[in-house]
Amino acid sequence: MKTDSFHPPLRTLMGPGPSDVHPRILEAMSRPTIGHLDPAFVEMMEEVKGLLQYAFQTDNPLTMPVSAPGSAGMETCFVNLVEPGEKVIVCQNGVFGGRMKENVERCGATPVMVLDEWGKAVDPAKLEQALEEHPDASVVAFVHAETSTGAQSDAETLTELAHRHGCLVIVDAVTSLGGSEIQVDGWDIDAIYSGTQKCLSCTPGLSPISFNERALEKVRQRKTKVQSWFLDLNLVMGYWGGNAKRSYHHTAPVNALYGLHEALVMLKEEGLENAWKRHYDNHRKLRAGLERLGLRFIVPEDQRLPQLNAVTIPDGVDDAEVRARLLDEYHLEIGAGLGDLAGKVWRIGLMGHSSNPGNIALCLAALEDVLNS
Ligand SMILES: *Cc1c(COP(=O)(O)O)cnc(C)c1O
């Protein structure tokens, strides 16, 4: 039996996540584990909540990380806000909208799909039409930043349309939080979830969420119990809630939360607007280089997500071989196409700490070398 410790190779992560984790975050995670009800830990939890409110731009008291990856944040929103028999409008323009549909069905509700082409933003006119055709719908769900295609949708407009028709919104901001503008309060978003391993540059495994009062009221008014015990916010809040008395719900991932705390402190130090601008400026740099190599973006310019650059693989180029050589020779990871786009595109991430000029130079030089040989 092999008993050696595991030492991962050093990589540069320019795929769809995880992104490069800053050494400060890794160092924070290696600090001594303390009890998850220790007063010192509880104080840190309060700081994490406050820093997440800053990242989401909200005063929502229910703003906290779910102890599981982004998919669990998605599930938290659906299982708490959707009851059996309800109708939910799901906008789909890539892989993750498809998962929202799965969630709706598993809640015993009926999804109404608003489909857009992969690589395009969600079309508000189509949502409006669906809202008019389905006045009995109670929730609208959409993905702000579709990581499978690199398209960014207009969350403010989609939210406003949903509210005009009396629907709550659930927003997937897994790839946008910390990388693109999000104004949870300013745009009046009801429920939103994210992930730690994309533009926050933390390790995978946590999912920040935020619910406003309207969404919480719906949770309180439920006729049926939330079918997931672990994700039932009524119970989770007994641990994460603001009251002095905290009760055991599950053992928080203590060291992972040290990491998230550090990632959020770094975001605060940089300033949210500066982080958004950095992601955009680096996208422009990478774009210029990719276009010089003759690679074409699949998303129209005004709908592009700065932190995820999807380009068409040139004819006659072997997708898997190029990615394998980038990994072997340059220790560089870029993303393959997902779903309908598998084998057709590369997805180059510029998320969080990975979004820097050194990575852009490495990626362009490595791609040029591999494509030319
Ligand atoms: C990565 C991602 C998820 C899922 O997050 P996990 O942490 O992998 O569970 C959900 N939605 C979008 C848009 C994503 O990019």
Side-chain angles (χ1 to χ4, degrees):
M1 193 177 120
K2 191 164 165 285
T3 54
D4 294 345
S5 307
F6 176 65
H7 294 277
L10 278 179
R11 305 285 198 211
T12 299
L13 301 178
M14 298 181 73
S19 56
D20 289 341
V21 179
H22 195 281
R24 262 179 70 177
I25 296 170
L26 292 175
E27 189 272 326
M29 292 175 75
S30 70
R31 292 176 196 153
T33 303
I34 58 177
H36 65 113
L37 293 167
D38 186 309
F41 186 71
V42 168
E43 197 179 315
M44 192 212 70
M45 288 166 69
E46 287 303 308
E47 287 178 18
V48 167
K49 283 160 63 176
L51 289 162
L52 280 177
Q53 287 174 330
Y54 169 70
F56 277 125
Q57 293 287 285
T58 183
D59 292 328
N60 289 338
L62 201 169
T63 301
M64 50 157 265
V66 174
S67 302
S71 305
M74 179 187 280
E75 199 137 346
T76 299
C77 290
F78 285 92
V79 297
N80 282 280
L81 290 173
V82 177
E83 284 201 86
E86 287 191 335
K87 204 182 246 190
V88 177
I89 297 179
V90 176
C91 304
Q92 183 177 9
N93 61 341
V95 166
F96 293 99
R99 291 190 178 181
M100 288 177 149
K101 175 175 186 260
E102 276 285 325
N103 271 272
V104 171
E105 286 169 346
R106 285 163 196 241
C107 291
T110 307
V112 173
M113 301 305 290
V114 173
L115 301 175
D116 274 290
E117 204 180 306
W118 288 36
K120 297 271 167 59
V122 172
D123 181 354
K126 286 189 190 169
L127 172 61
E128 188 159 29
Q129 194 188 337
L131 285 161
E132 278 162 11
E133 285 168 8
H134 300 277
D136 52 339
S138 52
V139 177
V140 168
F142 63 87
V143 178
H144 182 213
E146 203 13 291
T147 325
S148 64
T149 68
Q152 181 158 261
S153 294
D154 181 348
E156 184 177 15
T157 299
L158 298 174
T159 301
E160 196 198 309
L161 278 171
H163 286 166
R164 212 183 294 156
H165 289 81
C167 288
L168 290 179
V169 294
I170 295 176
V171 180
D172 178 319
V174 175
T175 287
S176 41
L177 188 68
S180 309
E181 182 176 10
I182 297 174
Q183 303 282 352
V184 169
D185 287 358
W187 299 347
D188 204 15
I189 290 170
D190 302 299
I192 191 164
Y193 60 91
S194 188
T196 42
Q197 77 276 28
K198 309 225 177 171
C199 294
L200 297 180
S201 256
C202 189
T203 50
L206 294 172
S207 179
I209 59 166
S210 186
F211 277 49
N212 70 10
E213 183 49 35
R214 208 183 288 126
L216 276 180
E217 189 52 28
K218 174 144 191 204
V219 179
R220 287 188 210 106
Q221 299 291 328
R222 285 182 66 102
K223 293 187 261 327
T224 54
K225 256 190 181 177
V226 172
Q227 64 268 35
S228 163
W229 176 84
F230 184 65
L231 300 175
D232 183 343
L233 286 174
N234 296 302
L235 306 176
V236 174
M237 288 309 285
Y239 178 54
W240 271 98
N243 312 328
K245 196 175 165 339
R246 279 169 199 268
S247 53
Y248 167 64
H249 176 258
H250 64 280
T251 310
V254 171
N255 293 56
L257 287 166
Y258 298 164
L260 176 59
H261 184 274
E262 191 69 18
L264 293 169
V265 165
M266 290 178 68
L267 181 66
K268 190 84 191 273
E269 282 172 3
E270 179 177 18
L272 199 51
E273 287 82 3
N274 295 333
W276 298 337
K277 183 172 185 309
R278 172 170 55 82
H279 281 89
Y280 181 68
D281 291 347
N282 285 328
H283 155 72
R284 304 242 318 172
K285 269 198 197 103
L286 178 72
R287 182 184 84 183
L290 291 172
E291 286 175 350
R292 231 177 290 122
L293 294 177
L295 296 167
R296 288 192 325 277
F297 278 76
I298 65 163
V299 177
E301 195 168 342
D302 60 339
Q303 302 174 8
R304 276 181 208 156
L305 181 60
Q307 53 272 43
L308 197 285
N309 299 266
V311 290
T312 309
I313 299 173
D315 286 341
V317 170
D318 185 330
D319 169 29
E321 189 192 334
V322 168
R323 283 185 295 105
R325 284 193 54 194
L326 291 175
L327 199 62
D328 290 346
E329 296 170 27
Y330 291 90
H331 300 285
L332 172 66
E333 179 181 282
I334 65 168
L338 267 189
D340 291 356
L341 295 174
K344 297 184 188 147
V345 303
W346 287 319
R347 293 180 301 147
I348 304 176
L350 283 174
M351 300 182 184
H353 183 50
S354 290
S355 177
N356 70 69
N359 278 4
I360 293 169
L362 167 71
C363 179
L364 292 172
L367 263 178
E368 182 169 23
D369 175 35
V370 171
L371 285 175
N372 286 341
S373 58

Short mmCIF file of all heavy atoms in Angstrom, two decimals, residues 16-17 68-72 74 96 99 143-148 172-175 193-198 204-206 351, ligand 1:
data_model
loop_
_atom_site.label_atom_id
_atom_site.label_comp_id
_atom_site.label_asym_id
_atom_site.label_seq_id
_atom_site.Cartn_x
_atom_site.Cartn_y
_atom_site.Cartn_z
N PRO A 16 -12.78 27.21 -15.80
CA PRO A 16 -14.04 27.76 -15.27
C PRO A 16 -14.13 27.69 -13.75
O PRO A 16 -15.22 27.82 -13.20
CB PRO A 16 -15.08 26.85 -15.93
CG PRO A 16 -14.36 25.55 -16.14
CD PRO A 16 -12.93 25.87 -16.39
N GLY A 17 -13.04 27.47 -13.07
CA GLY A 17 -13.02 27.33 -11.62
C GLY A 17 -12.69 25.89 -11.24
O GLY A 17 -13.10 24.99 -11.97
N ALA A 68 -21.23 23.87 1.75
CA ALA A 68 -21.17 22.94 0.62
C ALA A 68 -20.99 23.80 -0.63
O ALA A 68 -21.20 25.02 -0.58
CB ALA A 68 -22.45 22.11 0.55
N PRO A 69 -20.63 23.18 -1.77
CA PRO A 69 -20.30 23.98 -2.96
C PRO A 69 -21.49 24.72 -3.57
O PRO A 69 -22.63 24.59 -3.11
CB PRO A 69 -19.74 22.94 -3.93
CG PRO A 69 -20.26 21.65 -3.47
CD PRO A 69 -20.42 21.76 -1.99
N GLY A 70 -21.21 25.48 -4.62
CA GLY A 70 -22.21 26.31 -5.28
C GLY A 70 -23.50 25.59 -5.59
O GLY A 70 -24.59 26.17 -5.45
N SER A 71 -23.42 24.34 -5.97
CA SER A 71 -24.62 23.56 -6.29
C SER A 71 -25.55 23.48 -5.08
O SER A 71 -26.78 23.42 -5.23
CB SER A 71 -24.24 22.14 -6.72
OG SER A 71 -23.32 22.19 -7.78
N ALA A 72 -24.98 23.48 -3.88
CA ALA A 72 -25.80 23.41 -2.67
C ALA A 72 -26.46 24.76 -2.40
O ALA A 72 -27.55 24.83 -1.83
CB ALA A 72 -24.95 22.99 -1.47
N MET A 74 -27.45 26.67 -4.82
CA MET A 74 -28.56 26.60 -5.78
C MET A 74 -29.72 25.83 -5.15
O MET A 74 -30.86 26.29 -5.10
CB MET A 74 -28.09 25.88 -7.06
CG MET A 74 -29.16 25.72 -8.13
SD MET A 74 -28.65 24.68 -9.56
CE MET A 74 -27.69 25.78 -10.55
N PHE A 96 -26.12 25.64 -16.67
CA PHE A 96 -26.59 25.81 -15.30
C PHE A 96 -28.09 26.08 -15.20
O PHE A 96 -28.73 25.70 -14.22
CB PHE A 96 -25.72 26.81 -14.55
CG PHE A 96 -24.33 26.27 -14.36
CD1 PHE A 96 -23.29 26.65 -15.19
CD2 PHE A 96 -24.09 25.30 -13.40
CE1 PHE A 96 -22.01 26.10 -15.05
CE2 PHE A 96 -22.82 24.74 -13.25
CZ PHE A 96 -21.78 25.15 -14.07
N ARG A 99 -29.74 22.87 -14.79
CA ARG A 99 -29.74 22.34 -13.41
C ARG A 99 -30.84 22.99 -12.58
O ARG A 99 -31.41 22.35 -11.68
CB ARG A 99 -28.39 22.60 -12.76
CG ARG A 99 -27.30 21.78 -13.38
CD ARG A 99 -26.07 21.89 -12.53
NE ARG A 99 -25.01 21.06 -13.07
CZ ARG A 99 -23.82 20.96 -12.52
NH1 ARG A 99 -23.55 21.64 -11.43
NH2 ARG A 99 -22.90 20.19 -13.04
N VAL A 143 -29.53 32.57 -14.51
CA VAL A 143 -28.10 32.57 -14.21
C VAL A 143 -27.53 33.92 -14.65
O VAL A 143 -27.67 34.29 -15.82
CB VAL A 143 -27.39 31.42 -14.95
CG1 VAL A 143 -25.88 31.45 -14.68
CG2 VAL A 143 -27.99 30.07 -14.54
N HIS A 144 -26.93 34.64 -13.72
CA HIS A 144 -26.37 35.95 -14.06
C HIS A 144 -25.16 35.78 -14.99
O HIS A 144 -25.08 36.43 -16.02
CB HIS A 144 -25.96 36.66 -12.75
CG HIS A 144 -25.40 38.03 -12.95
ND1 HIS A 144 -24.42 38.55 -12.13
CD2 HIS A 144 -25.69 39.00 -13.85
CE1 HIS A 144 -24.13 39.79 -12.53
NE2 HIS A 144 -24.89 40.08 -13.57
N ALA A 145 -24.24 34.91 -14.61
CA ALA A 145 -23.01 34.70 -15.39
C ALA A 145 -22.94 33.23 -15.77
O ALA A 145 -22.64 32.39 -14.94
CB ALA A 145 -21.80 35.11 -14.57
N GLU A 146 -23.26 32.92 -17.04
CA GLU A 146 -23.32 31.52 -17.48
C GLU A 146 -21.90 31.04 -17.80
O GLU A 146 -21.34 31.32 -18.85
CB GLU A 146 -24.25 31.45 -18.70
CG GLU A 146 -24.93 30.16 -19.07
CD GLU A 146 -24.97 28.96 -18.13
OE1 GLU A 146 -23.89 28.37 -17.93
OE2 GLU A 146 -26.06 28.56 -17.68
N THR A 147 -21.32 30.32 -16.87
CA THR A 147 -19.94 29.88 -16.98
C THR A 147 -19.74 28.88 -18.12
O THR A 147 -18.63 28.70 -18.60
CB THR A 147 -19.50 29.22 -15.65
OG1 THR A 147 -20.14 29.91 -14.58
CG2 THR A 147 -18.01 29.30 -15.46
N SER A 148 -20.81 28.23 -18.55
CA SER A 148 -20.65 27.24 -19.63
C SER A 148 -20.46 27.90 -20.98
O SER A 148 -19.99 27.27 -21.91
CB SER A 148 -21.85 26.29 -19.66
OG SER A 148 -23.03 26.98 -19.97
N ASP A 172 -28.44 32.95 -9.92
CA ASP A 172 -27.16 32.25 -9.82
C ASP A 172 -26.05 33.26 -10.08
O ASP A 172 -25.94 33.80 -11.18
CB ASP A 172 -27.11 31.12 -10.85
CG ASP A 172 -25.79 30.35 -10.84
OD1 ASP A 172 -24.72 30.99 -10.71
OD2 ASP A 172 -25.81 29.11 -11.00
N ALA A 173 -25.26 33.53 -9.04
CA ALA A 173 -24.14 34.46 -9.18
C ALA A 173 -22.84 33.75 -8.83
O ALA A 173 -21.92 34.35 -8.27
CB ALA A 173 -24.36 35.67 -8.27
N VAL A 174 -22.77 32.45 -9.15
CA VAL A 174 -21.59 31.68 -8.75
C VAL A 174 -20.34 32.28 -9.39
O VAL A 174 -19.33 32.48 -8.71
CB VAL A 174 -21.75 30.18 -9.09
CG1 VAL A 174 -20.45 29.43 -8.78
CG2 VAL A 174 -22.89 29.57 -8.28
N THR A 175 -20.41 32.61 -10.67
CA THR A 175 -19.22 33.13 -11.34
C THR A 175 -19.16 34.65 -11.32
O THR A 175 -18.13 35.24 -11.61
CB THR A 175 -19.14 32.55 -12.76
OG1 THR A 175 -18.76 31.18 -12.65
CG2 THR A 175 -18.11 33.25 -13.63
N TYR A 193 -27.26 33.07 -4.88
CA TYR A 193 -26.24 32.15 -4.36
C TYR A 193 -24.98 32.27 -5.20
O TYR A 193 -25.03 32.66 -6.37
CB TYR A 193 -26.75 30.70 -4.36
CG TYR A 193 -27.12 30.15 -5.72
CD1 TYR A 193 -26.19 29.48 -6.51
CD2 TYR A 193 -28.41 30.33 -6.21
CE1 TYR A 193 -26.55 28.98 -7.76
CE2 TYR A 193 -28.77 29.83 -7.46
CZ TYR A 193 -27.84 29.16 -8.23
OH TYR A 193 -28.18 28.67 -9.47
N SER A 194 -23.84 31.92 -4.57
CA SER A 194 -22.57 32.00 -5.28
C SER A 194 -21.68 30.83 -4.87
O SER A 194 -22.14 29.87 -4.25
CB SER A 194 -21.91 33.35 -5.03
OG SER A 194 -20.78 33.50 -5.86
N GLY A 195 -20.42 30.93 -5.24
CA GLY A 195 -19.44 29.90 -4.87
C GLY A 195 -18.15 30.59 -4.47
O GLY A 195 -17.96 31.78 -4.75
N THR A 196 -17.28 29.86 -3.78
CA THR A 196 -16.06 30.50 -3.28
C THR A 196 -14.87 30.34 -4.23
O THR A 196 -13.88 31.05 -4.11
CB THR A 196 -15.69 29.87 -1.93
OG1 THR A 196 -15.89 28.46 -1.99
CG2 THR A 196 -16.54 30.45 -0.82
N GLN A 197 -14.95 29.39 -5.17
CA GLN A 197 -13.77 29.02 -5.96
C GLN A 197 -13.66 29.73 -7.30
O GLN A 197 -12.85 29.36 -8.12
CB GLN A 197 -13.77 27.50 -6.18
CG GLN A 197 -14.73 26.99 -7.25
CD GLN A 197 -16.15 26.79 -6.76
OE1 GLN A 197 -16.60 27.46 -5.85
NE2 GLN A 197 -16.88 25.87 -7.39
N LYS A 198 -14.51 30.72 -7.52
CA LYS A 198 -14.45 31.40 -8.82
C LYS A 198 -13.81 32.78 -8.59
O LYS A 198 -12.63 32.83 -8.32
CB LYS A 198 -15.83 31.40 -9.45
CG LYS A 198 -16.38 29.95 -9.43
CD LYS A 198 -17.02 29.42 -10.65
CE LYS A 198 -17.41 27.95 -10.42
NZ LYS A 198 -18.23 27.36 -11.46
N PRO A 204 -12.70 25.49 -3.26
CA PRO A 204 -14.09 25.08 -3.50
C PRO A 204 -14.72 24.55 -2.23
O PRO A 204 -14.01 24.11 -1.32
CB PRO A 204 -13.96 23.93 -4.52
CG PRO A 204 -12.55 23.90 -4.97
CD PRO A 204 -11.72 24.62 -3.96
N GLY A 205 -16.04 24.57 -2.16
CA GLY A 205 -16.71 23.89 -1.06
C GLY A 205 -17.62 24.73 -0.20
O GLY A 205 -18.22 24.21 0.74
N LEU A 206 -17.74 26.03 -0.49
CA LEU A 206 -18.67 26.87 0.26
C LEU A 206 -19.54 27.65 -0.73
O LEU A 206 -19.10 27.94 -1.83
CB LEU A 206 -17.93 27.86 1.15
CG LEU A 206 -17.11 27.28 2.30
CD1 LEU A 206 -16.27 28.38 2.95
CD2 LEU A 206 -18.02 26.63 3.33
N MET A 351 -10.43 34.52 -13.34
CA MET A 351 -11.24 34.69 -12.13
C MET A 351 -10.37 34.97 -10.92
O MET A 351 -9.36 34.28 -10.69
CB MET A 351 -12.04 33.41 -11.86
CG MET A 351 -12.99 33.03 -12.97
SD MET A 351 -13.90 31.54 -12.51
CE MET A 351 -14.82 31.26 -14.03
C1 LIG B 1 -19.50 26.52 -10.92
C2 LIG B 1 -20.92 26.90 -11.07
C3 LIG B 1 -21.95 26.30 -10.32
C4 LIG B 1 -21.71 25.13 -9.41
O1 LIG B 1 -20.83 25.39 -8.40
P1 LIG B 1 -20.11 24.15 -7.67
O2 LIG B 1 -19.27 24.82 -6.62
O3 LIG B 1 -19.33 23.46 -8.73
O4 LIG B 1 -21.15 23.28 -7.10
C5 LIG B 1 -23.24 26.76 -10.48
N1 LIG B 1 -23.53 27.76 -11.33
C6 LIG B 1 -22.58 28.36 -12.08
C7 LIG B 1 -22.95 29.46 -13.02
C8 LIG B 1 -21.26 27.95 -11.97
O5 LIG B 1 -20.31 28.52 -12.72
#
